[in-house]
Amino acid sequence: MSQKTNNELWAEAQVELSRLLVEEIPEQPLQPEKDRVVFFQRLVMLYVRYLQIIRQLEKVYDQVVHPQKRRLILHTLESVMGRVLELKNEMVDKELCEYHYMDDVLHDLKLTPADLEITIPHYFLSERNQLNEERRAMLANILHTMETTVTQKRVTKPMSQDEAIRIIQVAERARQGRLRAALNEASRRLSKIPMIEAPKPADMTRAAIRIQKVWRGHVERKKAKAARLEDMFFLGMTPHPKYQAPCEAIIAAHANEDAVRKRQKEHEDDYQKTVLEIASQLLEVEGQDIANNMKEQIRQWFLECRNLTGAFPEFPDADEGGSAVLFAERDYQLLVQEMKEQEDEKNNKKGKEAPKKDTKKGKEEEEEGLVMLPSAFLADLEMCNKTFVDFWETRTESRNFEQRHEVELIKEEKRVDVESEIRVKVDEQMRQELADWRLAVEKTPAKAYAKKKAGKRDKKKKKGEKDLTVDRTLESICQEMVDEGLLKRANSVQIQDYIGDFNYLGTTLRKNDIEPMPSVSDVRQLISLYGILPLGSQAVHEKAPLTKAILLVGPLGVGKKMLVNAICQETGATLFDLSPLNVAGKYPGKSGLAMMIHMVFKVARLMQPSVIWIDGAEKMFYKKVPKEERALEPKRMKKDLPKALKLIKEEDRVLIIGTSKDPINADIKSMCKMYSKVILIPRPDYGSRYVLWKQMIEKHGGKITSALDLSSLSKISDGYTPGHMIQAIQQVMTKRRMLLLEKRPLTAIEFVAPLAKFTPVFQDEEEALKKWYAKTPLGKKRAKAAAEREEALQVPAKGKAPPKKGKK
């Protein structure tokens, strides 16, 4: 797309965003909504509309080359992503369920299920800073060195030439023997075929008629098949062969996108050079005047405070913000006025008795109803929208064809930064000047005052985590963790590789009091919201609802490990493995365990974003440890790991992901106390199995023809997980079978035998997982809310008094 088209798409997204802001921040505050269904519908509508804005802004940010526009677009995009996470959190809070079904909203907005997919921004991987790139290169180097060392250890046994010739002779004789046996078998078959007598003329005529009949039938069937395929192509039910391979237009479009990204890099470098030049110019030209004005302002504040209180004020430290805190959005005259008002209030209160408050309920009770939770991103969205409207919406850029940066805008932005830089130096000078004034007027030595202030700061300090590896480098710790198997390389999979269909009947089933099982598409959406978006963006992670730990629960083979690797791949996160079976026997003792957890969390913070994976999460919380696992000590991290989890802050992009296939044997209270989000992953439904069979067969080199009945294959594979299906496909799609595809197309019966070797997920197992999930904190809240609603419906019916006798 051209830059003009990108600007128009940006303008469309901003128009929709302004409409949403009008709805979310009206002039008159909205009244509490008593109808839960209406309130939830409003939440869902906002959620879906914000998702469309994310899709548009991500596309624009990926292709716009103007560096200053890209900064505003990025700020808007991150704020919208944060708002989507807030709405999702509110939907969970109000509906008391992680999964929400929006098929009716899609119908109202004329959208498709693809529009509900969470767009993963391209910049999560493309715009990593140099430090993270160096750290990943260091990790790749360590892993490569380790793999090379392991390969070198596998030294083959030396073999003499005679021994090698003898092995080759044995293999060749065996090959010749197999070939000779096959030829003998073929000759025996030929010898058993009886000789055919010469046909008679009547038999020849009958044979010709039969051949003609078969040929005509074959031709007609071929025509009917071609007509049927044309109808399927027209309806879009079968992809056309000529559209399966990428056409030239698509290839050219991808090449154009790559060229635009190169231009972005060039324009960004040019912008950074200009910023440095303008900053130095502002320091040279305006720096001295700015510093003098600041000093005069601060001196005036010193004198006014001295006149009012009789003592010089305390000057804020650098970590508290310095003088910027005193004069933020107000000057010293306003500060003086506030201090006078506070002084007058103190004088008025002396000798006067405060009036007693009436303890009776004088205020009217607020109306009961549902209201929106406060947002941390709406203010940013308002600011971004205002900046777009005030500066970019009506700006004429006919002369800026190359989409270079705006110099005047840089000056306005850098002037603020220059003032902040100068203020730091001015504050240091004014602290010294204030100390001199104190010494001259109040006779207070600077050392005594500094000691007093340091004592106050020490009281405010909190006890932090002790660094057990303060004398070690990051590379040495990583080397040790790789050797111990705690630091691993994530598999190359994307979130879109987790294949599955959308749930088209979720809302309908819930209206009929039937709780539907989530689809693969619903699981993929939750992983994107709770895992990928917060880890990919620092701004979103700091301000959005914080999720420190996620628990993925589901039968063996549903793709839990694949989702963990997909999160790492989509965000460029570092993967750590703290599974009980992986750490068994490593770092023994209490001190060893503390050292292991400390190293993992320290490196995870330094190399963030990071994912700490715990496979077999239920083993840490066993009610009773099985005999065969007692030697592995699966519960050794039960106390220390939750303590380390508490030290993760908003700025630490570290996510703990536990995977469990058998959570029933664990203490659910302790497990849910550690994992704030529990995501239940069921076996795939019919639609997901159909899509999975189709795409995975094609991915492994197979061809989908009319001979392969995918519908029947999807029905008979009910209960089998994606892992079972992929293994069955791999067993069928051998090299020999792929060579025979043209002559013998694939059929459904070929996949039945390999699939039958696996044990399916029975209904009882799935029901047991559902009952376990109902015992989680969220499941209990949902059950309690449902019981309360039933009681509320039954109370009016029970409360009706029976009619009295003798009265009509």
Side-chain angles (χ1 to χ4, degrees):
M1 292 190 297
S2 66
Q3 294 302 310
K4 181 180 178 181
T5 306
N6 288 323
N7 290 332
E8 291 173 354
L9 186 61
W10 182 25
E12 290 176 6
Q14 289 292 153
V15 169
E16 178 64 15
L17 180 59
S18 62
R19 291 173 183 164
L20 285 171
L21 290 175
V22 169
E23 293 183 18
E24 290 220 70
I25 315 174
E27 296 180 0
Q28 298 294 331
L30 296 174
Q31 296 297 321
E33 180 60 57
K34 296 183 179 181
D35 193 338
R36 181 175 293 272
V37 176
V38 174
F39 183 80
F40 184 75
Q41 196 74 2
R42 179 173 176 244
L43 283 178
V44 172
M45 284 292 247
L46 290 173
Y47 174 82
V48 174
R49 290 169 67 185
Y50 273 119
L51 283 183
Q52 310 316 306
I53 295 177
I54 289 178
R55 193 180 303 276
Q56 288 178 294
L57 290 178
E58 196 281 328
K59 191 183 299 181
V60 172
Y61 181 73
D62 186 45
Q63 292 299 303
V64 165
V65 297
H66 197 296
Q68 290 156 308
K69 287 181 181 177
R70 297 186 80 241
R71 278 162 171 73
L72 179 59
I73 294 169
L74 177 60
H75 192 187
T76 310
L77 175 59
E78 290 180 332
S79 300
V80 174
M81 289 192 294
R83 184 58 186 150
V84 164
L85 292 178
E86 287 180 337
L87 289 171
K88 179 65 179 180
N89 182 64
E90 191 160 0
M91 289 159 64
V92 174
D93 184 58
K94 298 297 188 293
E95 195 72 4
L96 301 175
C97 182
E98 294 288 353
Y99 294 102
H100 306 103
Y101 305 99
M102 308 171 189
D103 41 303
D104 55 340
V105 176
L106 292 182
H107 183 268
D108 295 339
L109 297 178
K110 303 294 187 276
L111 299 175
T112 64
D115 294 317
L116 276 183
E117 292 292 335
I118 308 297
T119 304
I120 309 300
H122 185 265
Y123 78 89
F124 279 3
L125 295 177
S126 64
E127 295 185 8
R128 292 299 177 195
N129 57 38
Q130 188 176 358
L131 183 61
N132 284 341
E133 289 292 341
E134 292 174 359
R135 288 170 179 171
R136 279 193 290 274
M138 177 191 68
L139 176 60
N141 186 27
I142 292 172
L143 291 171
H144 178 70
T145 305
M146 183 179 177
E147 290 171 0
T148 307
T149 307
V150 172
T151 305
Q152 290 175 352
K153 289 180 181 178
R154 298 174 184 170
V155 181
T156 56
K157 185 180 178 182
M159 183 184 296
S160 64
Q161 186 177 2
D162 294 339
E163 189 176 355
I165 292 172
R166 195 180 307 110
I167 292 174
I168 294 172
Q169 287 176 341
V170 170
E172 179 60 21
R173 286 166 184 162
R175 186 190 68 81
Q176 291 180 3
R178 288 192 296 270
L179 184 61
R180 195 179 299 109
L183 291 173
N184 291 337
E185 181 65 23
S187 63
R188 280 196 297 271
R189 287 201 198 97
L190 289 173
S191 63
K192 292 180 181 179
I193 299 176
M195 298 298 293
I196 302 174
E197 298 179 359
K200 298 179 181 179
D203 296 335
M204 292 178 66
T205 303
R206 195 180 303 112
I209 293 172
R210 181 170 295 179
I211 291 171
Q212 290 174 354
K213 181 180 179 182
V214 172
W215 173 252
R216 287 170 182 166
H218 168 71
V219 170
E220 291 301 323
R221 284 192 296 273
K222 194 173 181 180
K223 288 180 181 179
K225 182 180 178 182
R228 182 175 179 273
L229 281 176
E230 284 297 328
D231 292 341
M232 299 293 280
F233 295 152
F234 177 74
L235 296 173
M237 298 178 69
T238 303
H240 204 285
K242 71 177 183 179
Y243 297 133
Q244 289 181 353
C247 61
E248 295 181 1
I250 295 176
I251 295 173
H254 288 316
N256 184 40
E257 290 177 357
D258 294 337
V260 167
R261 294 188 185 107
K262 291 180 181 178
R263 283 177 60 199
Q264 286 177 355
K265 184 70 170 61
E266 295 173 2
H267 288 204
E268 180 66 24
D269 294 341
D270 190 18
Y271 170 78
Q272 294 295 345
K273 290 178 183 177
T274 308
V275 166
L276 294 176
E277 293 173 0
I278 290 176
S280 62
Q281 289 176 6
L282 288 172
L283 273 173
E284 184 179 351
V285 176
E286 303 178 13
Q288 190 61 41
D289 293 338
I290 294 173
N292 291 336
N293 291 335
M294 287 181 180
K295 288 179 181 178
E296 187 61 31
Q297 190 180 29
I298 294 171
R299 288 192 189 104
Q300 187 68 22
W301 178 65
F302 289 165
L303 296 173
E304 292 291 341
C305 291
R306 167 74 179 170
N307 294 334
L308 283 172
T309 61
F312 289 111
E314 293 185 4
F315 200 89
D317 293 330
D319 54 354
E320 296 173 353
S323 60
V325 178
L326 304 174
F327 307 106
E329 299 181 0
R330 52 184 179 173
D331 55 11
Y332 69 94
Q333 293 179 355
L334 293 175
L335 284 172
V336 170
Q337 186 177 354
E338 289 180 5
M339 294 177 68
K340 285 182 178 179
E341 291 176 357
Q342 292 176 1
E343 193 70 22
D344 293 339
E345 288 180 3
K346 289 181 181 178
N347 294 332
N348 292 333
K349 286 181 180 178
K350 286 180 181 179
K352 292 184 180 180
E353 208 173 304
K356 295 182 180 180
K357 293 183 179 180
D358 187 9
T359 55
K360 295 182 180 179
K361 294 180 180 180
K363 295 183 180 180
E364 296 181 358
E365 294 183 357
E366 295 182 359
E367 294 181 7
E368 293 183 1
L370 300 172
V371 293
M372 300 281 284
L373 297 175
S375 172
F377 292 96
L378 284 178
D380 292 342
L381 287 174
E382 271 193 304
M383 185 194 68
C384 293
N385 190 58
K386 187 177 185 303
T387 305
F388 171 78
V389 172
D390 294 345
F391 192 84
W392 295 108
E393 186 176 26
T394 56
R395 191 171 186 82
T396 303
E397 294 186 294
S398 57
R399 297 183 180 180
N400 191 9
F401 181 75
E402 292 291 329
Q403 290 290 288
R404 297 285 179 174
H405 52 264
E406 303 282 344
V407 177
E408 292 301 322
L409 188 59
I410 294 177
K411 287 183 179 179
E412 293 178 9
E413 293 173 352
K414 288 310 294 180
R415 188 171 279 108
V416 177
D417 297 337
V418 168
E419 288 179 0
S420 301
E421 185 179 344
I422 294 173
R423 188 177 292 279
V424 174
K425 298 178 182 178
V426 169
D427 286 353
E428 289 298 322
Q429 297 173 6
M430 296 310 294
R431 285 190 188 94
Q432 184 60 40
E433 188 172 326
L434 181 61
D436 296 340
W437 285 17
R438 280 201 181 94
L439 183 60
V441 179
E442 299 178 353
K443 308 298 182 184
T444 305
K447 291 184 178 179
Y449 184 78
K451 187 176 181 181
K452 179 182 176 183
K453 199 164 185 181
K456 291 182 179 179
R457 284 199 301 267
D458 292 338
K459 289 180 181 179
K460 294 179 181 179
K461 285 184 180 179
K462 293 183 179 179
K463 189 177 179 181
E465 183 185 8
K466 186 179 179 181
D467 192 353
L468 303 177
T469 55
V470 68
D471 57 339
R472 295 185 59 182
T473 62
L474 176 64
E475 188 171 357
S476 66
I477 300 175
C478 291
Q479 180 70 55
E480 179 182 339
M481 293 173 67
V482 170
D483 293 340
E484 295 292 341
L486 302 178
L487 183 57
K488 294 184 176 180
R489 179 183 293 166
N491 298 334
S492 182
V493 291
Q494 306 295 325
I495 191 65
Q496 292 303 323
D497 295 335
Y498 191 66
I499 302 168
D501 203 5
F502 180 75
N503 194 333
Y504 297 92
L505 297 175
T507 306
T508 305
L509 291 174
R510 275 195 172 174
K511 287 180 179 178
N512 293 308
D513 295 332
I514 301 174
E515 184 61 28
M517 290 300 292
S519 65
V520 175
S521 176
D522 299 323
V523 175
R524 190 167 60 232
Q525 190 181 77
L526 285 186
I527 295 299
S528 299
L529 288 171
Y530 295 150
I532 297 176
L533 293 188
L535 284 182
S537 171
Q538 182 70 34
V540 173
H541 191 276
E542 288 180 358
K543 299 174 71 175
L546 182 61
T547 301
K548 295 183 179 181
I550 301 173
L551 179 64
L552 306 180
V553 177
L556 183 66
V558 293
K560 300 184 292 295
K561 182 180 177 181
M562 179 183 178
L563 290 172
V564 174
N565 286 277
I567 292 174
C568 295
Q569 283 296 323
E570 295 285 4
T571 60
T574 312
L575 180 62
F576 301 86
D577 188 358
L578 278 183
S579 305
L581 297 182
N582 186 49
V583 302
K586 300 173 183 177
Y587 297 94
K590 218 170 187 180
S591 59
L593 177 63
M595 175 62 74
M596 179 184 69
I597 294 178
H598 168 75
M599 286 195 306
V600 168
F601 278 84
K602 179 180 178 179
V603 177
R605 290 191 188 96
L606 293 175
M607 300 183 68
Q608 57 181 282
S610 301
V611 170
I612 300 174
W613 175 41
I614 303 175
D615 189 23
E618 76 280 354
K619 298 180 185 296
M620 281 177 52
F621 304 98
Y622 267 144
K623 297 175 183 176
K624 185 179 181 182
V625 181
K627 291 182 180 179
E628 60 272 13
E629 294 187 19
R630 286 178 183 173
L632 303 177
E633 296 182 301
K635 298 175 68 173
R636 64 190 295 235
M637 294 189 296
K638 183 179 179 180
K639 293 182 179 179
D640 292 350
L641 196 60
K643 290 179 183 178
L645 180 64
K646 292 180 181 178
L647 298 176
I648 297 177
K649 301 175 183 177
E650 289 81 0
E651 60 269 18
D652 299 328
R653 284 187 290 164
V654 179
L655 180 65
I656 296 179
I657 304 179
T659 55
S660 174
K661 63 179 180 180
D662 189 21
I664 300 172
N665 295 326
D667 180 18
I668 189 170
K669 188 176 180 180
S670 302
M671 182 183 283
C672 292
K673 191 175 181 181
M674 177 174 172
Y675 297 99
S676 56
K677 295 289 183 183
V678 181
I679 300 177
L680 181 62
I681 307 177
R683 55 185 182 174
D685 54 8
Y686 169 79
S688 296
R689 292 195 302 273
Y690 186 95
V691 175
L692 187 63
W693 278 117
K694 182 178 182 299
Q695 294 193 22
M696 293 310 299
I697 288 173
E698 290 177 344
K699 185 177 180 180
H700 284 79
K703 292 183 180 179
I704 306 298
T705 63
S706 57
L708 179 57
D709 190 354
L710 285 177
S711 180
S712 299
L713 189 59
S714 303
K715 289 178 181 177
I716 63 175
S717 58
D718 185 16
Y720 290 94
T721 63
H724 297 151
M725 296 157 67
I726 292 172
Q727 290 182 57
I729 293 171
Q730 290 172 346
Q731 292 180 26
V732 173
M733 299 304 300
T734 59
K735 291 183 179 180
R736 177 179 175 82
R737 185 65 186 89
M738 290 173 66
L739 293 173
L740 298 174
L741 284 177
E742 295 295 334
K743 297 180 180 179
R744 186 159 60 89
L746 288 170
T747 58
I749 196 66
E750 295 181 66
F751 299 94
V752 174
L755 198 64
K757 296 177 183 178
F758 305 107
T759 304
V761 180
F762 295 105
Q763 189 71 24
D764 296 343
E765 185 178 349
E766 193 170 87
E767 289 296 327
L769 284 177
K770 287 175 68 176
K771 290 179 181 177
W772 175 87
Y773 185 76
K775 296 177 183 178
T776 61
L778 194 64
K780 287 182 178 179
K781 289 180 182 178
R782 184 171 177 80
K784 183 179 179 181
E788 289 176 355
R789 283 196 293 269
E790 287 183 5
E791 287 182 7
L793 292 174
Q794 293 175 1
V795 164
K798 292 180 178 179
K800 289 182 180 179
K804 294 182 180 180
K805 294 182 180 180
K807 291 186 179 181
K808 292 183 181 180

